[in-house]
């Protein structure tokens, strides 16, 4: 580029700086003329010339070239310890590294800088999408850096139904052996013990309320992550309870099911050849149950066997002799319950006010175990559930309704048939980040309203009742989804948000390799500031000597 082109490319900012330098030179010149003949005049002239030259060089920012291996470079985010940087350089055999700020400046101000580098390793999450978009021809590697006790990854369901099991999975590097708890307000609803070092964790809980929900991940009494999701009202179910005799366990369970909007019918023997029938919320004369809750004494009951043959779900509670009950159920329904005695005691404690039979479920095919309580479900013609818990109603009497809900909502969830339409959308959701939403068993509208946009669904080529939508949320906080649902969109300041912004730019196919290049190296800004400050100090001290 010739001199004329360089002058033409100067910006208004460059011209203003140039005129400022000229103005400073004239001010210094006239000041020195007035002081001509004064003591140490030569020192004053020298200091003023030095000040003007250093300020000029600082603005011009001269650089020099050095030969360096730029096949791989390391770009480091702020606040990463020097020992981590050096360890990373040594392990990857990288010669050159830049701070994220200096790398951004070079890339934006130096048109040829991109062609001088090959593979790029970003250490940390500070790189911005606009920087990554300029590096599409380079192989980009991301080396995440999170502080101890900081969530590195986390996932949950953004839209669920009340009573569904919400599962929060993630990973974290723990500074010590400690407990990670999941809280709903002030109540702990699940927890997991972390060992010192790297941990994958999984926390589970039934969803208790309808609408916007917020759980907190808490470590050492400090909230480290909010779990925000939306819960929609579940369709009421019909439950038939067939009990050998009326008891508090069946009555309180029936009342709880009724309070949650379900239809319940209770048939119990009160005397020989005499039955009592109680209905809760029942509005239909032709009552067809979705779930049968009974005890092992009624395994041969005609109604129970008929429901099983029709594919209904059956749950056995009030177990007395667990091993004999399991064998009886196996013979009648073709299940393969296998129990192992784990204690010589009559009952074993589970929690305060909660005990169970001294047996454990052994692993078998088509069986799902409750993670917290001795309850299991097997898939046969329908779903068959078996609970080894003793009476659970003391939990309600002692005020521990949360544990009671966890037991029965979780159990009912696994017994229910598949829902009509299921929306599969994972959280956390980030703004301006493309995500995929799946609609299973979806035969309704061909479009979906998100925020203020109407998006057409794309049908699955494999399953005609399965659709998907791709969308990027533009706004943050709670956003409208369809007619009555909402999703929560995260802010842009967390480390998880920064990490999510990097992922779309990662690749292994593009590569620009330059085994050795001359890199332009500038003088660090702090050196200029020290030089300018030193000369200004000398100019201030000189008249006082």
């Amino acid at each position: 580029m010739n001199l004329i082109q360089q002058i033409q490319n100067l910006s208004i900012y460059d011209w203003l700086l140039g005129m400022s330098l000229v103005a400073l030179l004239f001010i210094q010149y006239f000041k020195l003329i007035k002081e001509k003949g004064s003591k140490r005049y030569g020192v004053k002239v020298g200091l003023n010339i030095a000040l003007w030259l250093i300020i000029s060089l600082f603005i011009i920012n001269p650089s020099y070239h050095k030969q360096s291996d730029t096949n791989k470079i390391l770009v480091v985010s702020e606040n990463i310890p020097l020992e981590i940087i050096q360890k990373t350089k040594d392990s990857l055999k990288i010669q050159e590294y830049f701070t994220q700020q200096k790398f951004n400046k070079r890339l934006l101000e130096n048109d040829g800088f991109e062609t001088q580098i090959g593979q790029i390793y970003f250490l940390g999450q500070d790189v911005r999408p606009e920087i990554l978009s300029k590096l599409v021809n380079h192989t980009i590697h991301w080396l995440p850096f999170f502080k101890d006790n900081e969530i590195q990854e986390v996932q949950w369901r953004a839209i669920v139904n009340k009573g569904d099991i919400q599962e929060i999975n993630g990973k974290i590097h723990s500074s010590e052996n400690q407990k990670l708890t999941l809280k709903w307000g002030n109540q702990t609803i699940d927890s997991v013990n972390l060992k010192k070092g790297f941990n994958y964790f999984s926390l589970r809980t039934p969803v208790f309320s309808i609408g916007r929900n917020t759980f907190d991940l808490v470590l050492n009494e400090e909230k480290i992550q909010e779990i925000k999701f939306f819960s929609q009202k579940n369709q009421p179910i019909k439950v038939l309870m067939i009990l050998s005799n009326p008891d508090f366990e069946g009555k309180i369970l029936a009342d709880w099911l009724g309070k949650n909007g379900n239809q319940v019918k209770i048939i119990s023997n009160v005397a020989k050849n005499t039955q009592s029938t109680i209905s809760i919320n029942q509005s239909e004369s032709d009552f067809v149950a979705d779930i049968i809750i009974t005890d092992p004494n009624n395994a041969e009951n005609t109604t129970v066997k008929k429901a099983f043959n029709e594919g209904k779900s059956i749950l056995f509670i009030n177990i007395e002799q667990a091993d004999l009950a399991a064998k009886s159920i196996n013979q009648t329904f073709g299940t393969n319950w296998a129990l192992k005695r784990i204690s010589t005691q009559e009952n074993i404690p589970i929690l305060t006010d909660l005990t169970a039979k001294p047996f454990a479920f052994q692993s078998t095919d088509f069986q799902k175990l409750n993670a917290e309580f001795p309850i299991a479900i097997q898939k046969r013609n329908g779903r068959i559930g078996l609970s080894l818990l003793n009476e659970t109603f003391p939990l309600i009497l002692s005020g521990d309704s949360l544990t009671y809900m966890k037991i029965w909502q979780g159990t009912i969830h696994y017994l229910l048939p598949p829902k009509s339409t299921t929306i599969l959308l994972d959280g956390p959701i980030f703004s301006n980040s493309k995500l995929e939403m799946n609609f299973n068993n979806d035969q309704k509208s061909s479009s979906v309203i998100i925020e203020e946009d109407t998006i057409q669904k794309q049908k699955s080529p494999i399953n005609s009742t399965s659709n998907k939508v791709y969308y990027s949320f533009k706004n943050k906080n709670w956003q409208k989804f369809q007619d009555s649902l909402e999703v929560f969109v995260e802010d842009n300041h967390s480390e998880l948000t920064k990490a999510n912004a990097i992922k779309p730019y990662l690749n292994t196919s593009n590569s620009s390799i330059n085994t050795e290049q001359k890199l332009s190296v500038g003088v660090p800004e702090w050196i200029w500031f020290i030089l300018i400050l030193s000369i200004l100090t000398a100019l201030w001290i000189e008249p006082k000597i």
Side-chain angles (χ1 to χ4, degrees):
M1 186 182 293
N2 58 42
L3 181 60
I4 295 175
Q5 288 177 317
Q6 290 179 346
I7 293 174
Q8 289 175 341
N9 289 333
L10 291 177
S11 65
I12 295 176
Y13 176 72
D14 294 327
W15 283 106
L16 288 173
L17 283 176
M19 287 187 288
S20 298
L21 283 175
V22 173
L24 175 62
L25 183 62
F26 274 102
I27 291 170
Q28 289 177 301
Y29 174 74
F30 287 114
K31 186 174 181 297
L32 288 171
I33 286 178
K34 290 180 181 180
E35 296 181 3
K36 191 172 183 180
S38 64
K39 188 179 179 182
R40 289 188 297 277
Y41 179 72
V43 174
K44 289 186 173 75
V45 172
L47 288 173
N48 276 272
I49 291 173
L51 177 64
W52 189 87
L53 286 173
I54 289 173
I55 293 175
S56 300
L57 290 172
F58 171 65
I59 293 172
I60 295 170
N61 192 23
S63 61
Y64 63 94
H65 292 84
K66 73 170 184 177
Q67 205 78 8
S68 181
D69 180 3
T70 58
N71 182 36
K72 295 187 291 185
I73 65 166
L74 180 66
V75 183
V76 180
S77 297
E78 292 183 20
N79 302 322
I80 294 183
L82 188 59
E83 59 269 22
I84 299 294
I85 298 173
Q86 192 58 50
K87 184 179 179 181
T88 305
K89 283 182 61 183
D90 293 343
S91 63
L92 295 175
K93 296 181 172 56
I94 293 178
Q95 289 187 14
E96 290 295 331
Y97 90 91
F98 302 86
T99 64
Q100 188 66 63
Q101 184 179 10
K102 288 185 177 180
F103 181 82
N104 295 352
K105 185 177 180 180
R106 287 197 175 207
L107 190 65
L108 297 173
E109 295 180 0
N110 186 347
D111 293 335
F113 179 67
E114 180 190 347
T115 63
Q116 298 176 344
I117 54 178
Q119 298 184 58
I120 306 168
Y121 290 79
F122 288 99
L123 177 59
Q125 290 79 247
D126 283 354
V127 59
R128 302 194 307 268
E130 58 266 32
I131 296 297
L132 290 168
S133 65
K134 292 180 174 293
L135 302 169
V136 292
N137 294 322
H138 292 265
T139 299
I140 295 172
H141 303 274
W142 176 42
L143 309 172
F145 179 80
F146 293 88
K147 298 175 183 176
D148 282 351
N149 304 327
E150 189 173 55
I151 295 292
Q152 298 187 12
E153 280 185 13
V154 67
Q155 186 182 53
W156 62 87
R157 289 176 61 192
I159 297 177
V160 295
N161 289 338
K162 182 183 176 183
D164 283 358
I165 302 299
Q166 177 66 279
E167 187 168 350
I168 297 100
N169 299 308
K171 61 183 183 180
I172 188 173
H173 192 278
S174 178
S175 60
E176 58 183 342
N177 294 335
Q178 54 189 326
K179 181 176 286 188
L180 177 67
T181 58
L182 182 65
K183 290 196 171 186
W184 184 38
N186 293 322
Q187 300 186 71
T188 297
I189 51 179
D190 200 7
S191 63
V192 62
N193 290 320
L194 303 178
K195 66 180 186 298
K196 182 178 180 179
F198 189 78
N199 294 263
Y200 286 97
F201 64 85
S202 181
L203 297 159
R204 298 159 53 84
T205 179
V207 178
F208 309 117
S209 60
I210 297 170
R212 298 176 180 180
N213 281 263
T214 301
F215 293 162
D216 294 325
L217 283 177
V218 178
L219 193 65
N220 280 337
E221 305 302 322
E222 180 183 349
K223 180 170 67 177
I224 60 173
Q225 178 69 40
E226 286 188 333
I227 310 296
K228 291 181 179 287
F229 60 94
F230 192 87
S231 171
Q232 56 185 332
K233 186 177 180 180
N234 218 336
Q235 291 297 318
I237 60 172
K238 299 175 183 178
V239 181
L240 174 62
M241 301 182 71
I242 302 176
L243 304 175
S244 297
N245 53 274
D247 60 7
F248 275 113
E249 181 71 0
K251 179 182 183 306
I252 290 182
L253 178 56
D255 289 343
W256 179 82
L257 288 167
K259 287 177 182 178
N260 280 275
N262 303 300
Q263 295 183 35
V264 186
K265 185 176 182 179
I266 311 167
I267 301 174
S268 56
N269 297 323
V270 293
K272 189 176 181 179
N273 300 324
T274 305
Q275 290 183 328
S276 167
T277 301
I278 300 174
S279 298
I280 302 175
N281 297 339
Q282 186 178 341
S283 58
E284 301 174 10
S285 57
D286 185 17
F287 183 84
V288 179
D290 300 305
I291 297 174
I292 310 290
I293 298 178
T294 187
D295 53 56
N297 295 330
N298 289 300
E300 296 292 338
N301 183 287
T302 304
T303 302
V304 174
K305 294 176 73 174
K306 181 175 182 292
F308 172 75
N309 292 330
E310 293 174 350
K312 305 294 184 181
S313 295
I314 301 170
L315 174 64
F316 289 95
I317 62 173
N318 294 341
I319 307 295
E320 291 299 330
Q321 294 178 296
D323 50 349
L324 296 178
K327 290 179 182 178
S328 172
I329 295 169
N330 287 343
Q331 290 174 358
T332 304
F333 299 100
T335 50
N336 57 348
W337 300 110
L339 304 181
K340 179 182 179 182
R341 179 176 281 274
I342 56 175
S343 174
T344 57
Q345 298 178 2
E346 184 179 355
N347 298 302
I348 56 174
I350 302 297
L351 296 169
T352 305
D353 299 320
L354 183 65
T355 62
K357 299 303 178 186
F359 292 87
F361 291 100
Q362 292 184 287
S363 179
T364 60
D365 294 335
F366 308 108
Q367 177 173 285
K368 188 171 187 64
L369 295 175
N370 187 301
E372 292 186 74
F373 305 103
I375 302 172
I377 312 292
Q378 286 193 7
K379 182 77 169 66
R380 285 297 179 270
N381 191 34
R383 290 177 170 86
I384 307 292
L386 180 60
S387 169
L388 300 182
L389 291 173
N390 291 317
E391 294 172 330
T392 58
F393 73 86
L395 293 168
I396 292 290
L397 299 181
S398 65
D400 191 2
S401 58
L402 182 62
T403 301
Y404 191 86
M405 283 193 292
K406 289 180 71 175
I407 293 171
W408 294 115
Q409 278 196 4
T411 303
I412 297 297
H413 170 76
Y414 289 125
L415 289 169
L416 286 173
K419 299 179 179 64
S420 56
T421 300
T422 304
I423 302 172
L424 301 179
L425 176 59
D426 289 334
I429 298 170
F430 303 98
S431 61
N432 302 313
S433 178
K434 188 176 181 180
L435 56 86
E436 179 181 309
M437 312 174 200
N438 289 283
F439 299 79
N440 290 340
N441 302 318
D442 182 26
Q443 296 177 316
K444 296 180 180 179
S445 171
S446 60
S447 62
V448 58
I449 298 174
I450 309 174
E451 293 181 309
E452 301 297 326
D453 301 325
T454 300
I455 311 299
Q456 294 298 315
K457 297 176 181 175
Q458 301 177 19
K459 280 200 172 293
S460 168
I462 301 173
N463 186 349
S464 61
T465 64
S466 180
N467 299 308
K468 66 176 57 178
V469 165
Y470 294 97
Y471 188 75
S472 295
F473 283 90
K474 299 179 286 293
N475 303 307
K476 297 185 284 291
N477 215 319
W478 290 101
Q479 301 300 322
K480 290 291 183 183
F481 185 87
Q482 293 185 314
D483 295 328
S484 57
L485 305 179
E486 294 180 74
V487 295
F488 186 80
V489 184
E490 305 286 330
D491 63 37
N492 295 320
H493 303 295
S494 71
E495 292 300 310
L496 284 175
T497 309
K498 293 178 184 177
N500 181 75
I502 295 173
K503 291 177 181 178
Y505 295 92
L506 301 178
N507 60 70
T508 55
S509 58
N510 294 327
S511 182
S512 176
I513 298 178
N514 298 274
T515 56
E516 194 170 276
Q517 290 287 343
K518 287 183 178 180
L519 281 182
S520 176
V521 181
V523 179
E525 293 178 351
W526 62 269
I527 292 180
W528 294 117
F529 289 134
I530 289 176
L531 289 173
I532 293 171
L533 184 61
S534 299
I535 294 175
L536 288 173
T537 303
L539 285 170
W540 178 73
I541 292 174
E542 185 273 331
K544 296 176 174 54
I545 298 175

